[in-house]
Amino acid sequence: QVQLVESGGGVVQAGATLRLSCTASDSTFDPESMGWFRQVPGKEREFVASIKYSNGFTSYLDSVEDRFTISRDNVKKTTFLQLTSLKPEDSAVYYCAQGGPFFYSHSTSDYNTWGQGTQVTVSS
């Protein structure tokens, strides 16, 4: 079973930029898709962005599509999420996950292996 580890979170001011990374433990890792989700206390885990690994097609939450960018490095088996123009409402624990063929799915049920998350806190 592959392990996914997120990194790159932190405490920043509104308007700042962060780049999150999700690295797979297995060099032969070959997912159909990868997704990023976020969660705050008392709320359901929320879809943020996803990417189909083979062709790079992407999907985004409407409220972040002009500010966040998902990408991947197939050699290093790492998926990135660049967060720009951060807002306090972006504060959450951000998780990466392995998905199947429906890379555009916004449902957590279409993803299986999850990382432990990385905290993003944006102050005003």
Side-chain angles (χ1 to χ4, degrees), residues 30-44:
D30 187 24
E32 291 194 69
S33 63
M34 292 293 294
W36 284 95
F37 292 74
R38 64 188 182 186
Q39 189 169 28
V40 299
K43 301 289 186 179
E44 291 189 46

Side-chain angles (χ1 to χ4, degrees), residues 52-63:
K52 187 166 176 60
Y53 228 68
S54 60
N55 59 20
F57 286 177
T58 59
S59 182
Y60 293 94
L61 176 68
D62 286 348
S63 64

Side-chain angles (χ1 to χ4, degrees), residues 50-90:
S50 61
I51 185 166
K52 187 166 176 60
Y53 228 68
S54 60
N55 59 20
F57 286 177
T58 59
S59 182
Y60 293 94
L61 176 68
D62 286 348
S63 64
V64 307
E65 63 181 346
D66 294 326
R67 300 183 294 117
F68 294 3
T69 302
I70 187 171
S71 61
R72 88 293 196 200
D73 182 335
N74 192 46
V75 175
K76 296 186 69 69
K77 306 301 181 182
T78 300
T79 306
F80 303 97
L81 184 68
Q82 181 169 291
L83 319 174
T84 63
S85 301
L86 280 163
K87 305 174 181 179
E89 51 262 46
D90 295 319

